[in-house]
Amino acid sequence: MKPLRLMSFIVGLLLSSASLASAELLALLNYESKPDQPVRREGIAIMDIDPASQDYGKILMEIPLPPDLVAHHIFFNRDRTKAYITALGKSVLHVVDLTKFPYRLRPIDVPDCQALEDLVVSEDNKTWFLTCMGSSNVIMGDAVKDRPIKTVSAARPADAFILYPHGIAIHNGIDRVLITSTVKPDLSEAGDTVTVLEASTGKVLSTHRVTSQPAPAKTAPVEVMFSPNANPPVVHITNMMEGTLWAGVWDPKTTSFSFHQVDDFGPREQGVPLEMMYNAKGDRLFVTTAKPGFVNLYDNSDPKQPKFLKAIPSAAGAHHTVLSPDERYLFVQNSFLNLEGMNDGSITVIDLKDDKILGSIDTLKTAGFNPNCIMPLPNHFKTKAARAEGPSTGSGQAHVGHLHGLMVERQ
């Protein structure tokens, strides 16, 4: 056998063996030091979170971040070839090409944006929208060249305004973007509205209160998401300070939304509802509450009125969630802005087959860090390896071998 062919065979065999031997589920977690640490540190960890993997809970790679960035959330574009990292400390958005290794962060200056919160990408993968809670505006950007192209703002007392925007959702089918009015970064003021934009132009169309309390309610709606496969379109909204869940229903005739409350977390002694997530089918909705830390499961067969099923305890600061590909396991990142009483630092693993807690990943917590976000790492290398090597018979991921072969493993 010729040397080059032999080498190719050995590399392919090693990749296949790693794939067969390990059923890894890799996740991206940006983290920061806990408040009691003498030296502040930030970074992005790639961790194996699959309970069946031999590397369960192990950090396979770390990407350092500036200690004063205050990296906040991670978002993907539509084909998940790029990851965007927002930051609260600097007017810089970072982007990572997930199809090229080693991963490198490229900064995108957004001088008009302070306290970068959430980002969504249009369905054609060409435009992103970034909420700026500190400067009360939204930045539209070119998602191909990754540069800002327009600053959208509208101040009160106009009927339609943008104030402390945080959550954002897009539906190009109806040409609409919705953003929430949450809180001033120093928490001295809070909003109680959702604002509707025209997605194609960024035009500010209308603003709606999402509370039954008299103004000013200071309910702080934080996240907004479109329910998958809903017809007509429906959004769900978490009210962080009021502790309620709301829905907005699109009316094709009037081309507008109407809003109503669908749940109250108070009677279940839960507070600070934050993130939402749906299963692939869209008939299940998961909502986290940070205080004291729960995941609420809903039957979302009727998105206009999700039906509460049960609450599963997590840990203080229950925030972002990830579902395993087979939707058996739910992973909950437990830390909210490093706030006291809501910064446990663990990742709760829930077995949805029996709706019970399987365990806790304390890797970052034990090291003195808090994860701020958790996202599944797209497996672009698996596709390349599969094309090169042919069909795989294992349940593992070829990306596993690629990572282990190229990364320096953290001991």
Side-chain angles (χ1 to χ4, degrees), residues 227-297:
S227 181
N229 310 316
N231 187 22
V234 176
V235 293
H236 293 129
I237 303 153
T238 47
N239 272 344
M240 181 174 67
M241 291 184 177
E242 186 180 60
T244 57
L245 178 67
W246 280 62
V249 182
W250 174 254
D251 185 341
K253 295 181 180 179
T254 62
T255 62
S256 62
F257 286 90
S258 60
F259 297 88
H260 64 276
Q261 181 176 314
V262 297
D263 197 13
D264 184 352
F265 298 96
R268 297 195 291 274
E269 298 184 347
Q270 298 180 39
V272 195
L274 295 174
E275 291 289 334
M276 295 169 286
M277 184 183 64
Y278 306 90
N279 64 348
K281 187 178 179 180
D283 63 350
R284 288 292 182 270
L285 167 64
F286 303 88
V287 182
T288 55
T289 54
K291 196 171 184 178
F294 278 89
V295 178
N296 295 267
L297 175 60

Coordinates of all heavy atoms in Angstrom, one line a residue, residues 227-297:
S227 N -43.8 30.6 17.9 CA -44.0 29.2 18.1 C -43.9 28.5 16.7 O -44.5 29.0 15.7 CB -45.4 29.0 18.7 OG -45.7 27.6 18.9
P228 N -43.1 27.4 16.6 CA -43.0 26.8 15.3 C -44.3 26.2 14.8 O -45.1 25.7 15.5 CB -42.0 25.6 15.7 CG -41.4 26.0 17.0 CD -42.4 26.8 17.7
N229 N -44.4 26.4 13.5 CA -45.5 25.8 12.7 C -46.9 26.3 13.1 O -47.9 25.8 12.7 CB -45.6 24.3 12.9 CG -44.2 23.6 12.6 OD1 -43.5 24.0 11.7 ND2 -43.8 22.7 13.5
A230 N -47.0 27.4 13.8 CA -48.3 28.0 14.2 C -48.9 28.8 13.0 O -48.2 29.5 12.3 CB -48.1 29.0 15.3
N231 N -50.1 28.5 12.7 CA -50.9 29.2 11.7 C -52.3 29.6 12.1 O -53.1 28.7 12.4 CB -51.0 28.3 10.4 CG -51.5 29.0 9.2 OD1 -51.5 30.3 9.2 ND2 -52.1 28.3 8.3
P232 N -52.5 30.9 12.3 CA -51.6 32.0 12.1 C -50.5 32.1 13.0 O -50.5 31.5 14.1 CB -52.6 33.3 12.2 CG -53.6 32.8 13.2 CD -53.8 31.3 12.9
P233 N -49.4 32.9 12.7 CA -48.3 33.0 13.6 C -48.6 33.4 15.0 O -49.5 34.3 15.2 CB -47.4 34.0 12.9 CG -47.8 33.9 11.5 CD -49.3 33.7 11.5
V234 N -47.9 32.8 16.0 CA -48.1 33.2 17.4 C -46.7 33.3 18.1 O -45.8 32.5 17.8 CB -48.9 32.0 18.1 CG1 -49.0 32.3 19.6 CG2 -50.3 31.9 17.6
V235 N -46.6 34.4 18.9 CA -45.4 34.6 19.7 C -45.7 34.3 21.1 O -46.8 34.5 21.6 CB -44.8 36.0 19.5 CG1 -44.3 36.2 18.1 CG2 -45.8 37.1 19.9
H236 N -44.7 33.9 21.9 CA -44.8 33.8 23.3 C -43.8 34.8 23.9 O -42.7 35.0 23.4 CB -44.5 32.4 23.8 CG -45.6 31.4 23.3 ND1 -45.3 30.2 22.7 CD2 -46.9 31.5 23.4 CE1 -46.4 29.6 22.4 NE2 -47.4 30.3 22.9
I237 N -44.1 35.3 25.1 CA -43.3 36.4 25.7 C -43.2 36.1 27.2 O -44.2 35.8 27.9 CB -44.0 37.7 25.5 CG1 -44.2 38.1 24.1 CG2 -43.2 38.8 26.2 CD1 -45.3 39.0 23.8
T238 N -42.0 36.1 27.8 CA -41.8 36.0 29.2 C -41.7 37.4 29.8 O -40.9 38.2 29.4 CB -40.6 35.2 29.5 OG1 -39.5 35.6 28.7 CG2 -40.8 33.7 29.2
N239 N -42.5 37.6 30.9 CA -42.4 38.9 31.6 C -41.6 38.6 32.9 O -42.1 38.0 33.8 CB -43.8 39.3 32.0 CG -44.5 40.2 31.0 OD1 -43.8 40.7 30.1 ND2 -45.8 40.4 31.0
M240 N -40.4 39.1 32.9 CA -39.4 38.8 33.9 C -39.8 39.2 35.3 O -39.7 38.5 36.2 CB -38.0 39.4 33.5 CG -36.9 39.1 34.5 SD -35.3 39.7 33.8 CE -35.6 41.5 33.9
M241 N -40.2 40.5 35.4 CA -40.5 41.0 36.8 C -41.9 40.7 37.2 O -42.2 40.6 38.4 CB -40.2 42.5 36.8 CG -38.8 42.9 36.7 SD -38.5 44.7 36.9 CE -36.7 44.7 36.8
E242 N -42.9 40.6 36.2 CA -44.2 40.4 36.6 C -44.4 38.9 36.8 O -45.4 38.5 37.6 CB -45.2 40.8 35.4 CG -46.6 40.7 35.7 CD -47.5 41.1 34.6 OE1 -47.4 40.5 33.5 OE2 -48.3 42.1 34.8
G243 N -43.6 38.0 36.3 CA -43.7 36.6 36.5 C -44.9 36.0 35.7 O -45.6 35.1 36.3
T244 N -45.0 36.4 34.5 CA -46.1 35.9 33.7 C -45.7 35.4 32.3 O -44.6 35.8 31.8 CB -47.3 36.9 33.5 OG1 -46.7 38.1 32.9 CG2 -47.9 37.2 34.8
L245 N -46.5 34.6 31.6 CA -46.2 34.2 30.2 C -47.4 34.8 29.4 O -48.6 34.6 29.7 CB -46.2 32.7 30.1 CG -46.0 32.1 28.7 CD1 -44.6 32.4 28.2 CD2 -46.2 30.6 28.8
W246 N -47.0 35.4 28.3 CA -48.0 36.0 27.4 C -47.9 35.4 26.0 O -46.9 34.8 25.6 CB -47.8 37.5 27.3 CG -48.4 38.3 28.5 CD1 -48.1 38.1 29.8 CD2 -49.5 39.2 28.5 NE1 -48.8 38.9 30.6 CE2 -49.7 39.6 29.8 CE3 -50.2 39.8 27.4 CZ2 -50.7 40.5 30.1 CZ3 -51.2 40.7 27.8 CH2 -51.4 41.1 29.1
A247 N -49.0 35.6 25.2 CA -49.0 35.2 23.8 C -49.4 36.4 22.9 O -50.3 37.2 23.4 CB -49.9 34.0 23.6
G248 N -48.9 36.5 21.7 CA -49.3 37.4 20.7 C -49.8 36.7 19.5 O -49.0 35.9 19.0
V249 N -51.0 37.0 19.0 CA -51.5 36.2 17.9 C -51.7 37.2 16.7 O -52.3 38.3 16.8 CB -52.9 35.7 18.3 CG1 -53.5 34.8 17.1 CG2 -52.8 34.8 19.5
W250 N -51.2 36.7 15.6 CA -51.2 37.5 14.3 C -52.6 37.4 13.7 O -53.2 36.3 13.5 CB -50.2 37.0 13.4 CG -50.2 37.6 12.0 CD1 -50.6 37.0 10.8 CD2 -49.7 38.9 11.6 NE1 -50.4 37.9 9.8 CE2 -49.9 39.1 10.2 CE3 -49.2 40.0 12.4 CZ2 -49.5 40.2 9.6 CZ3 -48.8 41.2 11.7 CH2 -49.0 41.3 10.3
D251 N -53.1 38.5 13.3 CA -54.4 38.6 12.5 C -54.1 38.9 11.1 O -53.8 40.1 10.8 CB -55.4 39.6 13.2 CG -56.7 39.6 12.5 OD1 -56.9 39.1 11.4 OD2 -57.7 40.1 13.1
P252 N -54.3 38.0 10.1 CA -53.9 38.3 8.7 C -54.8 39.4 8.1 O -54.4 40.1 7.2 CB -54.2 37.0 8.0 CG -54.1 35.9 9.1 CD -54.7 36.6 10.3
K253 N -56.0 39.5 8.6 CA -57.0 40.5 8.1 C -56.5 41.9 8.4 O -56.6 42.8 7.6 CB -58.4 40.3 8.6 CG -59.0 38.9 8.0 CD -60.4 38.7 8.5 CE -61.0 37.4 8.0 NZ -62.4 37.2 8.5
T254 N -56.2 42.1 9.7 CA -55.8 43.5 10.1 C -54.3 43.7 10.1 O -53.8 44.8 10.3 CB -56.2 43.7 11.6 OG1 -55.6 42.8 12.5 CG2 -57.7 43.5 11.7
T255 N -53.5 42.6 9.7 CA -52.0 42.6 9.7 C -51.5 43.2 11.0 O -50.6 44.1 11.0 CB -51.5 43.3 8.5 OG1 -51.9 44.7 8.5 CG2 -51.9 42.7 7.2
S256 N -52.0 42.7 12.1 CA -51.5 43.2 13.4 C -51.6 42.0 14.5 O -52.2 41.0 14.2 CB -52.4 44.3 13.9 OG -53.7 44.0 14.1
F257 N -51.0 42.3 15.6 CA -51.0 41.3 16.7 C -51.9 41.7 17.8 O -52.1 42.9 18.1 CB -49.6 41.2 17.3 CG -48.6 40.4 16.5 CD1 -47.8 41.1 15.6 CD2 -48.5 39.0 16.6 CE1 -46.9 40.4 14.8 CE2 -47.6 38.3 15.8 CZ -46.8 39.0 14.9
S258 N -52.5 40.7 18.5 CA -53.3 41.0 19.7 C -52.6 40.1 20.8 O -52.1 39.0 20.5 CB -54.7 40.6 19.6 OG -54.9 39.2 19.3
F259 N -52.6 40.7 22.0 CA -51.8 40.0 23.1 C -52.7 39.7 24.3 O -53.6 40.4 24.6 CB -50.7 41.0 23.5 CG -49.7 41.3 22.5 CD1 -49.9 42.3 21.6 CD2 -48.5 40.5 22.3 CE1 -49.0 42.6 20.6 CE2 -47.6 40.8 21.3 CZ -47.8 41.8 20.4
H260 N -52.4 38.5 24.9 CA -53.1 38.1 26.1 C -52.2 37.3 27.0 O -51.2 36.6 26.5 CB -54.4 37.3 25.7 CG -54.1 36.0 25.0 ND1 -53.9 36.0 23.7 CD2 -54.0 34.8 25.5 CE1 -53.7 34.7 23.3 NE2 -53.7 33.9 24.4
Q261 N -52.5 37.2 28.3 CA -51.8 36.4 29.3 C -52.2 35.0 29.2 O -53.4 34.7 29.1 CB -52.0 37.0 30.7 CG -51.2 36.2 31.7 CD -51.3 36.8 33.1 OE1 -51.3 38.0 33.3 NE2 -51.6 35.9 34.1
V262 N -51.2 34.1 29.3 CA -51.6 32.6 29.2 C -51.2 31.9 30.5 O -51.7 30.8 30.7 CB -50.9 31.9 28.0 CG1 -51.4 32.5 26.7 CG2 -49.4 32.0 28.1
D263 N -50.3 32.4 31.3 CA -49.9 31.8 32.6 C -49.3 32.8 33.6 O -48.8 33.8 33.2 CB -48.9 30.6 32.3 CG -48.8 29.6 33.5 OD1 -49.7 29.7 34.4 OD2 -47.9 28.8 33.5
D264 N -49.4 32.4 34.8 CA -48.9 33.2 35.9 C -48.0 32.2 36.8 O -48.5 31.2 37.3 CB -50.0 33.8 36.8 CG -49.5 34.7 37.9 OD1 -48.3 34.7 38.1 OD2 -50.4 35.3 38.5
F265 N -46.8 32.5 37.0 CA -45.9 31.7 37.7 C -46.0 31.9 39.2 O -45.4 31.1 40.0 CB -44.4 31.9 37.3 CG -44.2 31.5 35.8 CD1 -44.2 32.5 34.8 CD2 -43.9 30.2 35.4 CE1 -44.0 32.2 33.5 CE2 -43.7 29.9 34.1 CZ -43.8 30.9 33.1
G266 N -46.6 32.9 39.6 CA -46.7 33.3 41.1 C -47.3 32.2 41.9 O -46.8 31.8 43.0
P267 N -48.5 31.6 41.5 CA -49.1 30.5 42.3 C -48.2 29.3 42.5 O -48.4 28.6 43.5 CB -50.4 30.2 41.5 CG -50.7 31.5 40.8 CD -49.4 32.0 40.4
R268 N -47.3 29.1 41.6 CA -46.3 28.0 41.8 C -45.1 28.4 42.5 O -44.1 27.7 42.6 CB -46.0 27.4 40.4 CG -47.2 26.8 39.7 CD -46.8 25.9 38.5 NE -46.2 26.7 37.4 CZ -46.9 27.2 36.4 NH1 -48.2 27.2 36.4 NH2 -46.3 27.9 35.4
E269 N -45.1 29.6 43.1 CA -44.0 30.2 43.8 C -42.7 30.2 43.0 O -41.6 29.9 43.5 CB -43.8 29.4 45.1 CG -45.0 29.5 46.1 CD -44.7 28.8 47.4 OE1 -43.7 28.0 47.5 OE2 -45.5 29.0 48.3
Q270 N -42.9 30.7 41.8 CA -41.7 30.8 40.9 C -41.7 32.3 40.4 O -42.7 32.9 40.3 CB -41.8 29.9 39.7 CG -41.8 28.5 39.9 CD -41.9 27.7 38.7 OE1 -41.4 28.0 37.6 NE2 -42.7 26.6 38.7
G271 N -40.4 32.8 40.2 CA -40.2 34.1 39.8 C -39.2 34.2 38.7 O -38.4 33.3 38.5
V272 N -39.1 35.3 38.0 CA -38.1 35.6 37.0 C -38.1 34.6 35.9 O -37.1 33.9 35.6 CB -36.7 35.8 37.6 CG1 -35.7 36.4 36.6 CG2 -36.7 36.5 38.9
P273 N -39.2 34.5 35.1 CA -39.2 33.7 33.9 C -38.3 34.3 32.9 O -38.3 35.5 32.7 CB -40.7 33.7 33.5 CG -41.3 34.9 34.1 CD -40.6 35.1 35.4
L274 N -37.5 33.4 32.2 CA -36.5 33.9 31.3 C -36.7 33.4 29.9 O -37.4 33.9 29.0 CB -35.1 33.7 31.8 CG -34.7 34.4 33.1 CD1 -33.4 33.9 33.6 CD2 -34.8 35.9 32.9
E275 N -36.1 32.2 29.7 CA -35.9 31.7 28.3 C -37.1 30.7 28.0 O -37.7 30.1 28.8 CB -34.6 31.0 28.1 CG -33.4 31.9 28.1 CD -33.3 32.7 26.9 OE1 -33.8 32.3 25.8 OE2 -32.7 33.8 27.0
M276 N -37.3 30.6 26.7 CA -38.2 29.6 26.1 C -37.6 28.8 25.1 O -36.6 29.2 24.4 CB -39.4 30.4 25.5 CG -40.3 31.1 26.5 SD -41.5 32.2 25.6 CE -40.4 33.5 25.0
M277 N -38.1 27.5 24.9 CA -37.6 26.7 23.9 C -38.7 25.7 23.5 O -39.5 25.3 24.3 CB -36.4 25.9 24.4 CG -35.7 25.0 23.3 SD -34.4 24.0 23.9 CE -35.2 22.9 25.1
Y278 N -38.7 25.3 22.2 CA -39.7 24.4 21.7 C -39.0 23.1 21.2 O -37.8 23.1 20.8 CB -40.5 25.0 20.5 CG -41.1 26.3 20.8 CD1 -40.3 27.5 20.5 CD2 -42.3 26.5 21.3 CE1 -40.9 28.8 20.8 CE2 -42.9 27.7 21.5 CZ -42.2 28.8 21.3 OH -42.7 30.1 21.6
N279 N -39.8 22.0 21.2 CA -39.2 20.8 20.6 C -39.4 21.0 19.1 O -39.9 22.0 18.6 CB -39.9 19.5 21.1 CG -41.4 19.5 20.7 OD1 -42.0 20.5 20.3 ND2 -42.1 18.4 21.0
A280 N -38.8 20.0 18.3 CA -38.8 20.1 16.8 C -40.2 20.2 16.3 O -40.5 21.0 15.3 CB -38.1 19.0 16.2
K281 N -41.1 19.4 16.8 CA -42.5 19.4 16.3 C -43.3 20.7 16.7 O -44.2 21.1 16.0 CB -43.2 18.2 16.9 CG -44.6 18.0 16.3 CD -45.3 16.7 16.9 CE -46.7 16.5 16.3 NZ -47.3 15.2 16.9
G282 N -42.9 21.3 17.8 CA -43.5 22.5 18.2 C -44.7 22.3 19.2 O -45.4 23.3 19.5
D283 N -44.9 21.1 19.6 CA -46.1 20.8 20.4 C -45.7 20.8 21.9 O -46.5 20.5 22.8 CB -46.8 19.5 20.1 CG -45.9 18.3 20.2 OD1 -44.7 18.4 20.4 OD2 -46.4 17.1 20.1
R284 N -44.4 21.1 22.2 CA -44.0 21.2 23.6 C -43.2 22.5 23.7 O -42.4 22.9 22.9 CB -43.1 20.1 24.0 CG -43.8 18.7 24.2 CD -44.7 18.8 25.4 NE -45.4 17.5 25.7 CZ -46.6 17.2 25.2 NH1 -47.2 18.1 24.3 NH2 -47.1 16.1 25.5
L285 N -43.5 23.2 24.8 CA -42.8 24.5 25.2 C -42.2 24.4 26.5 O -42.8 23.9 27.5 CB -43.9 25.6 25.2 CG -43.4 27.0 25.8 CD1 -42.3 27.6 25.0 CD2 -44.6 27.9 25.9
F286 N -40.9 24.8 26.6 CA -40.2 24.8 27.9 C -39.9 26.2 28.3 O -39.4 27.0 27.5 CB -38.9 24.0 27.7 CG -39.0 22.6 27.3 CD1 -39.1 22.3 25.9 CD2 -39.2 21.5 28.2 CE1 -39.2 21.0 25.5 CE2 -39.3 20.2 27.8 CZ -39.3 19.9 26.4
V287 N -40.2 26.6 29.5 CA -39.9 27.9 30.0 C -39.2 27.8 31.3 O -39.6 27.2 32.3 CB -41.3 28.7 30.2 CG1 -41.0 30.1 30.7 CG2 -42.1 28.8 29.0
T288 N -38.0 28.5 31.4 CA -37.3 28.5 32.7 C -37.6 29.7 33.6 O -38.0 30.8 33.1 CB -35.8 28.6 32.4 OG1 -35.5 29.8 31.6 CG2 -35.3 27.4 31.6
T289 N -37.6 29.5 34.9 CA -37.7 30.5 35.9 C -36.4 30.5 36.7 O -36.1 29.4 37.2 CB -39.0 30.4 36.7 OG1 -39.0 29.1 37.3 CG2 -40.2 30.6 35.9
A290 N -35.8 31.7 36.9 CA -34.5 31.7 37.6 C -34.6 31.6 39.1 O -33.6 31.3 39.8 CB -33.8 33.0 37.2
K291 N -35.8 32.0 39.6 CA -35.9 32.0 41.1 C -37.1 31.3 41.6 O -38.2 31.7 41.3 CB -35.9 33.5 41.5 CG -35.7 33.7 43.0 CD -35.6 35.2 43.3 CE -35.2 35.5 44.7 NZ -35.0 37.0 45.0
P292 N -36.9 30.1 42.2 CA -35.6 29.5 42.7 C -34.9 28.7 41.7 O -33.8 28.2 41.9 CB -36.1 28.7 43.9 CG -37.4 28.2 43.5 CD -38.1 29.4 42.8
G293 N -35.5 28.4 40.5 CA -34.9 27.6 39.5 C -35.7 26.4 39.0 O -35.7 25.4 39.7
F294 N -36.5 26.6 38.0 CA -37.4 25.5 37.5 C -37.4 25.6 36.0 O -37.1 26.6 35.3 CB -38.8 25.7 38.0 CG -39.1 25.2 39.4 CD1 -38.9 26.0 40.5 CD2 -39.5 23.9 39.6 CE1 -39.1 25.6 41.8 CE2 -39.8 23.4 40.9 CZ -39.6 24.3 42.0
V295 N -37.9 24.4 35.4 CA -38.2 24.3 34.0 C -39.7 24.0 33.9 O -40.1 23.0 34.5 CB -37.4 23.3 33.2 CG1 -37.9 23.2 31.7 CG2 -35.9 23.6 33.3
N296 N -40.5 24.8 33.3 CA -41.9 24.6 33.2 C -42.2 24.0 31.8 O -41.8 24.5 30.8 CB -42.7 25.9 33.3 CG -42.6 26.4 34.8 OD1 -43.4 26.1 35.6 ND2 -41.5 27.2 35.0
L297 N -42.9 22.8 31.8 CA -43.3 22.1 30.6 C -44.7 22.4 30.2 O -45.6 22.2 31.1 CB -43.0 20.6 30.7 CG -43.4 19.7 29.6 CD1 -42.7 20.1 28.3 CD2 -43.1 18.2 30.0

